Amino acid sequence: RIDLSWAAVAAATTYTVSKVMRNGGSYLVVARGITTPQFEDKAVSQGTTYTYEVRAVNNNGESSPSNQASAEFAKPVKAGLPH
């Protein structure tokens, strides 16, 4: 698994997490409606590098994506997005 965490956004009510499995690929939403600034991705394969981005969501809509963070699933790891 890959554990993600990020700095909370004061105005956010939820977060949306997206990931891509290869350079130049399209991001796919893997979780919506997350209410805490953390996510555990269990849908990973050994030897694969994943890149993630997070968007904050509130009544006004969705934010721009966060900075990207990448992690390779080789053994249990924690990948924190920039705070």
Side-chain angles (χ1 to χ4, degrees):
R1 76 176 193 228
I2 295 176
D3 293 316
L4 301 172
S5 64
W6 56 90
V9 175
T13 53
T14 64
Y15 300 94
T16 299
V17 177
S18 300
K19 78 176 176 181
V20 65
M21 291 184 284
R22 59 187 152 77
N23 286 338
S26 298
Y27 277 88
L28 300 173
V29 172
V30 293
R32 289 185 193 276
I34 297 172
T35 57
T36 59
Q38 57 192 21
F39 174 69
E40 181 181 287
D41 190 359
K42 293 182 180 178
V44 293
S45 298
Q46 194 166 19
T48 303
T49 299
Y50 299 91
T51 301
Y52 297 87
E53 66 181 25
V54 176
R55 293 175 185 260
V57 182
N58 64 21
N59 291 337
N60 295 318
E62 198 169 69
S63 72
S64 299
S66 65
N67 291 331
Q68 299 173 343
S70 296
E72 179 180 350
F73 179 66
K75 58 182 180 178
V77 296
K78 289 191 179 255
L81 294 171
H83 290 246

